[in-house]
Amino acid sequence: MGGLPTEQPASALTLAGLQQTRGSEPVSKPKKKICCACPDTKKIRDDCIVEHGEAACEKWIEAHRRCLRAEGFKV
């Protein structure tokens, strides 16, 4: 009853929020194991490599890498 505020000032709330988000990375963490991510591009890539060799399948290899990156993996 001395006229003291009962809520935290906005600057304290902002500082607390910054401290919580400062340690997190902007890129989301993968939600799956890398072996289970992107099964469609993985199958196409693997089938192509078995049939034609790695050198002939660069576009499928790169497509699979793009998919993995989109899932949050660093490849």
Side-chain angles (χ1 to χ4, degrees):
M1 295 189 222
L4 295 174
T6 58
E7 296 182 23
Q8 291 182 343
S11 60
L13 292 174
T14 304
L15 180 59
L18 287 175
Q19 289 173 343
Q20 289 176 353
T21 59
R22 187 175 289 164
S24 62
E25 294 183 25
V27 177
S28 63
K29 195 171 185 181
K31 294 174 178 65
K32 307 174 188 178
K33 292 181 180 180
I34 196 166
C35 62
C36 301
C38 304
D40 297 335
T41 57
K42 182 179 180 180
K43 179 167 178 29
I44 294 169
R45 177 204 65 179
D46 292 350
D47 290 347
C48 182
I49 291 172
V50 168
E51 291 180 28
H52 306 289
E54 190 173 331
C57 302
E58 196 58 41
K59 76 175 187 177
W60 299 117
I61 294 168
E62 187 55 36
H64 186 59
R65 285 183 184 144
R66 280 194 307 270
C67 181
L68 291 173
R69 287 184 196 118
E71 292 285 332
F73 294 98
K74 295 179 182 179
V75 291

